[in-house]
Amino acid sequence: MSTPAAPPLLALRGVSVRYGPISALQDIDLQIQQGELVALLGSNGAGKSTTLRAISRLVKPVAGLIEWRGRSLARTATERTVRLGIGHCPEGRRVLARQSVAVNLELGAYLRRDRRAIARDLQRCYERFPRLGERRSQPAGSLSGGEQQMLAIARSLMGRPRLLLLDEPSLGLAPLLVAEVMAILQQLHREGLTILLVEQNAHAALAIADRGVVLQAGSISLSGSAAELMAHPDLKDTYLGEGEPGDG
Amino acid sequence: MRDLSLLVQMGFGALLALSVYLPLRCGQLSLATPGFYAIGGYVAALLSTRWPALSGGGASYPLTSLALELLLAALVAGAVALVLGRPVLQLRGIYLAIATIALVEILRVLNLNMAWSGGAVGIFGIPQPFDGPAGYALATGVLLALTCWLCSRLEAMRLGRAMSAIREDELAARCMGIPTADVKLIAFVLSAVIAALTGVLAAHFLNTWNARQGSFDASITTLAFVVFGGSRIWLGPVLGGLVITALPELLRPVGDLRLILFGLVILVGPILFPQGVITPEGLARIRAAVRRA
C-alpha cells in the first residue's frame, strides 16, 4: 500500500503479545486509514480480541510498535488512549447492569468536560437509538441482548472516538438484530467514523467493511478488500475454521 | 453516663465501617482500616503526652491541640496510604485482603516492640480535651456527620460513579477512560484518613493507647459491620457499625445468652440479607411506602 504524506490513523508494526508462556499474537502488521471500516476476522482464539486490547493498551505487547497518528502508544495508559480518540467497545457488551441506561451513557463521556456538548450527544444518541431513549431510566441489566449491544456501542460513541474498536458486536444476537447492528455501523462509517470491527460472523462484517484482515493462530494469514475476501473460495473452510460463531 | 459512652463507641464503629466501605465501593476488599486507626491513635497519644507545649496551661487539653492532632494524623495516614496504595492495590480480591491484614499485623508488631510507642504497655495518661463523654459524643457525631455527608455526595459525583463502575466491571470502566488505579487509590487514602481521625478521638476517649487497638480481630469486626449493614450505599455500614457495636451492651440483660444471641445476629444477618440490611432497592421501597402512607 502506498502511504500518503500523512501517517495512517493507526499502525501496528510487528506487534507480538504473550500471555505468560502462551503467544497470542506474532508480528502483526496492520494499518488503518482515516475513515476506513476494517473487518478483523478469525476463529476462536485467533487473537482478534488481543489485537484490540493491545491497541487500547489493556495488554502490553512484548515486541513491536503501535502508532496513533504517527506517535507511539508505548507509554500510554488506557484512559489516555480514550482521550486520544480510541474508543474500545469490549466483547460481551459489559454494560453496568445495575446502573440506568442514562448513567451508562454518561459514564461513556467520563473524560469529557464539555457539559453542553455531552447533553447534545446524549440527545443525538437517543435519536439514533430510540429504544435507549425510551428506557433511559431503567437499569441496563433489564434490557434485551440486542438493546444492551446498542447501549454498549452508544456508550463508546459518547466518548467521541475517532477510531472505534468493536469486539464481536453480533455475539449471541438473532440474525435480525445482527443486521440491525451492522446497519448502524454502516451508518456510523458513512458519517466518517473509522472502525476496526472484530467479528466471527465474516459474512455480516465483510458486507459492510472496506477491507478485511484474517487472523489465524495469532498471525495475519490473509488480507484484502471486502469483495476479494468474499469471493475467496477458501475463506470459510481454511481460514475461519468450520466452527459456528460462538463465544470468542 | 454509661449510655453516652456507648454512643461514642457506636460512633467509632460507624466511622470505621465507613472506612471499610469506601474501598469496597470500588470493589476493593481492604482490611487495613485498623492499621490506620492505630496510626491515628499513636499520633494523638504521642503528640499529647510527649509534647508539653500542646497541653496549654488550663485544666483540660486545648481543642486547638486536638484539631492539630487530627490534621497531623490525617496527613500521616494519608501519606502512608498513598505510598503503600500503589503497589498494594494492584492485588485483587482475596489477595488484597491478605496483604492489608499483613499490613495491620506488621504495624501491630512494630508498635508492640518499639520503645517510642511504649512497647507492650503502650501510652497511657492521654490528656482529656472534654470533661465527660458528652463532649466526645459531640465530636464523634460531628465527624460522623461530615463523613456521611461526604459519602452521600459521592453517590452523585463523577468520582462516586467511577467507583461504582469499577466495582461492577473494571474492564468496562477502563474502556470508558476511567483512570481505575487513581480512583482506587483515592478511595484507599480517604479510607485511611477516616480511620486515622477516628483513632485520634478514640485515643483520647480511652485515655490509653497500645498495640492491641489495631489487630486482626479488629479487621474482622470492622468487616462484619459492613457485611451486616450492606456495602452498596453509605447508610448500610453506618447502621452496621452502630448496631454491631451496641449489640453486646444492649444484650447485657439477658446474661450468659448474650454472646450466643450476638453470634446469631452475625450469622443470620447475611443469610436473611445477603447484600446487607440496607440496599438502594430496599430504601427505594421504603420511600415509596412512606409516600403512599
Side-chain angles (χ1 to χ4, degrees):
Chain A
M1 196 192 307
S2 67
T3 317
L9 192 61
L10 181 80
L12 279 70
R13 304 187 204 280
V15 170
S16 300
V17 174
R18 303 182 69 87
Y19 294 120
I22 300 154
S23 172
L25 284 182
Q26 302 105 35
D27 203 20
I28 297 292
D29 284 298
L30 178 65
Q31 297 199 359
I32 297 173
Q33 304 292 335
Q34 173 86 42
E36 272 192 308
L37 197 171
V38 178
L40 187 58
L41 310 170
S43 60
N44 268 341
K48 308 185 297 297
S49 296
T50 302
T51 308
L52 296 193
R53 283 160 171 263
I55 296 169
S56 62
R57 302 284 300 153
L58 289 165
V59 298
K60 317 274 179 265
V62 291
L65 203 63
I66 301 178
E67 287 177 343
W68 172 254
R69 303 169 73 199
R71 286 210 175 149
S72 168
L73 292 179
R75 294 179 155 274
T76 312
T78 297
E79 61 261 24
R80 180 87 190 126
T81 65
V82 179
R83 213 185 274 279
L84 288 173
I86 302 176
H88 186 167
C89 186
E91 184 182 343
R93 300 164 201 137
R94 306 195 87 130
V95 297
L96 304 179
R98 276 176 178 158
Q99 314 282 346
S100 70
V101 168
V103 167
N104 267 276
L105 290 171
E106 283 161 19
L107 276 168
Y110 183 80
L111 288 174
R112 294 171 55 190
R113 300 280 174 186
D114 43 347
R115 282 170 175 246
R116 283 222 189 112
I118 292 174
R120 247 197 331 268
D121 284 0
L122 203 58
Q123 207 47 51
R124 280 191 51 201
C125 161
Y126 290 146
E127 282 158 20
R128 193 191 295 276
F129 305 99
R131 266 178 305 183
L132 296 184
E134 289 160 21
R135 289 162 198 224
R136 64 184 79 179
S137 51
Q138 286 183 24
S142 71
L143 302 182
S144 72
E147 288 162 349
Q148 287 189 17
Q149 185 60 60
M150 302 295 181
L151 176 57
I153 295 172
R155 186 175 65 184
S156 298
L157 293 177
M158 287 299 293
R160 285 220 173 153
R162 298 184 57 163
L163 167 69
L164 181 59
L165 309 173
L166 267 168
D167 202 342
E168 300 250 16
S170 77
L171 192 72
L173 295 186
L176 212 62
L177 286 169
V178 173
E180 205 176 315
V181 168
M182 294 301 159
I184 282 164
L185 298 185
Q186 196 166 25
Q187 177 61 32
L188 289 169
H189 176 41
R190 276 203 204 103
E191 291 168 18
L193 185 65
T194 313
I195 299 176
L196 178 56
L197 171 62
V198 157
E199 263 302 336
Q200 278 195 49
N201 189 338
H203 191 78
L206 288 174
I208 61 166
D210 297 318
R211 58 194 179 89
V213 175
V214 179
L215 275 176
Q216 222 177 355
S219 304
I220 293 177
S221 57
L222 187 67
S223 65
S225 75
E228 280 166 24
L229 288 185
M230 283 271 234
H232 199 286
D234 299 334
L235 180 71
K236 266 252 152 63
D237 299 333
T238 313
Y239 294 103
L240 301 179
E242 70 281 64
E244 288 294 299
D247 47 21
Chain B
M1 284 307 254
R2 258 217 34 222
D3 291 336
L4 267 178
S5 291
L6 180 61
L7 264 187
V8 174
Q9 279 170 336
M10 287 164 67
F12 292 162
L15 280 163
L16 293 178
L18 284 171
S19 162
V20 177
Y21 157 80
L22 276 169
L24 262 184
R25 211 175 168 302
C26 44
Q28 308 303 303
L29 177 54
S30 159
L31 297 177
T33 289
F36 293 114
Y37 173 72
I39 288 178
Y42 275 110
V43 168
L46 288 171
L47 285 177
S48 60
T49 58
R50 311 268 159 95
W51 194 4
L54 278 182
S55 300
S60 63
Y61 190 71
L63 286 179
T64 46
S65 301
L66 183 67
L68 182 73
E69 286 172 22
L70 288 167
L71 182 71
L72 278 175
L75 285 176
V76 171
V80 172
L82 201 62
V83 172
L84 293 179
R86 273 279 171 214
V88 166
L89 288 169
Q90 298 199 355
L91 299 169
R92 276 160 218 277
I94 197 75
Y95 299 102
L96 176 63
I98 292 168
T100 49
I101 288 174
L103 175 68
V104 172
E105 271 306 286
I106 290 167
L107 278 171
R108 186 184 70 82
V109 172
L110 271 180
N111 290 329
L112 193 60
N113 292 291
M114 289 292 162
W116 54 264
S117 60
V121 181
I123 299 168
F124 46 89
I126 299 173
Q128 295 298 305
F130 305 111
D131 288 336
Y136 284 104
L138 185 68
T140 310
V142 168
L143 182 59
L144 180 58
L146 280 175
T147 311
C148 287
W149 176 79
L150 172 85
C151 291
S152 69
R153 283 287 303 138
L154 219 48
E155 320 268 333
M157 278 163 57
R158 269 163 56 86
L159 178 65
R161 291 197 166 166
M163 289 165 83
S164 308
I166 295 172
R167 177 174 178 166
E168 260 194 70
D169 191 331
E170 189 167 346
L171 178 76
R174 291 182 71 184
C175 286
M176 292 175 220
I178 294 171
T180 52
D182 293 348
V183 172
K184 287 194 253 179
L185 190 61
I186 291 171
F188 190 63
V189 169
L190 280 176
S191 157
V193 168
I194 292 169
L197 295 177
T198 311
V200 170
L201 291 182
H204 284 283
F205 177 71
L206 297 174
N207 197 250
T208 160
W209 201 253
N210 55 51
R212 278 189 301 280
Q213 299 302 333
S215 63
F216 175 64
D217 288 5
S219 287
I220 300 307
T221 311
T222 46
L223 180 63
F225 296 161
V226 181
V227 170
F228 178 82
S231 62
R232 290 186 47 208
I233 187 164
W234 61 274
L235 209 49
V238 171
L239 184 86
L242 294 174
V243 169
I244 304 250
T245 312
L247 214 51
E249 288 303 314
L250 297 181
L251 289 176
R252 210 168 269 282
V254 297
D256 289 344
L257 272 178
R258 91 190 160 107
L259 285 178
I260 295 174
L261 277 177
F262 180 65
L264 268 180
V265 169
I266 301 263
L267 184 70
V268 171
I271 293 173
L272 289 181
F273 306 99
Q275 301 203 356
V277 174
I278 294 190
T279 58
E281 291 81 12
L283 282 181
R285 261 197 303 271
I286 292 170
R287 243 179 253 132
V290 168
R291 224 173 291 135
R292 252 180 278 125

